[in-house]
Amino acid sequence: MKMRLSLLLLIVLIAACSTDLKGEEPPKPTVKMFSIENQSDVEIPHLERTICWNNCAKVKNTAMLAQEKPEIVDIGKHSLKISFKNMEPKPSTINLINETTGERIQLDSNWINLSPSNDGEAVYRLHFFWKGKGGAPLGESTYRFGVTSSGTY
């Protein structure tokens, strides 16, 4: 009986200490704007790349990511809502980078509203990191999208 109990406790301990991330790919954020014409949310097109997943055992080449330009969407005077609340597992770190200006924002909530700029076109990158115990990398992915503001609704 003691042997069975010891074996069961060992299995539970191993499962609890596992650093594997579930699924084949990382979860995705939601980037939307409210369309007055459609009276509904419209998802913004994007480029996404998984750099590594599940203990970063498989690392992908990301050199092409910086060369590809996402579709640029005219959002008028609307703001974008970026939500992370449905991302499971939750990333350890989320950075929002305006690739056009170089501005970096570390996010720590479940969502952010991004207001349009009158500076014209901008490409944004959401950079996600999943870390295990001791800060070991478990996963990394990026999500890029582009917007412009025409100043009209």
Side-chain angles (χ1 to χ4, degrees):
M1 182 69 168
K2 281 186 178 182
M3 181 65 134
R4 283 186 184 174
L5 182 57
S6 296
L7 185 57
L8 180 61
L9 287 174
L10 180 62
I11 291 171
V12 168
L13 181 62
I14 289 171
C17 293
S18 175
T19 56
D20 286 345
L21 296 169
K22 304 297 180 219
E24 295 289 317
E25 294 287 329
K28 313 282 186 277
T30 304
V31 179
K32 295 181 178 182
M33 71 167 208
F34 185 76
S35 167
I36 292 177
E37 297 89 28
N38 299 339
Q39 290 295 302
S40 64
D41 285 333
V42 176
E43 191 161 348
I44 302 298
H46 62 277
L47 298 173
E48 59 188 64
R49 292 287 185 272
T50 301
I51 297 166
C52 66
W53 193 242
N54 272 337
N55 294 318
C56 288
K58 186 168 78 172
V59 177
K60 297 182 181 180
N61 183 352
T62 60
M64 289 186 61
L65 177 63
Q67 297 171 358
E68 292 181 58
K69 188 172 182 180
E71 178 183 340
I72 305 297
V73 177
D74 186 346
I75 61 171
K77 291 183 181 179
H78 300 288
S79 62
L80 299 174
K81 181 174 183 179
I82 304 171
S83 175
F84 315 106
K85 68 179 179 179
N86 293 327
M87 293 182 73
E88 286 297 332
K90 298 281 186 218
S92 305
T93 306
I94 303 170
N95 292 308
L96 174 65
I97 299 126
N98 181 330
E99 292 183 355
T100 308
T101 65
E103 179 186 10
R104 300 177 78 99
I105 302 168
Q106 186 169 341
L107 306 173
D108 58 4
S109 66
N110 286 327
W111 61 274
I112 183 174
N113 277 332
L114 184 61
S115 297
S117 167
N118 292 331
D119 297 338
E121 185 176 296
V123 174
Y124 291 94
R125 178 177 69 227
L126 287 163
H127 204 147
F128 302 98
F129 298 94
W130 288 264
K131 295 178 184 173
K133 291 184 179 180
L138 297 178
E140 182 179 352
S141 70
T142 61
Y143 187 103
R144 294 176 70 226
F145 60 95
V147 295
T148 188
S149 176
S150 66
T152 61
Y153 285 103

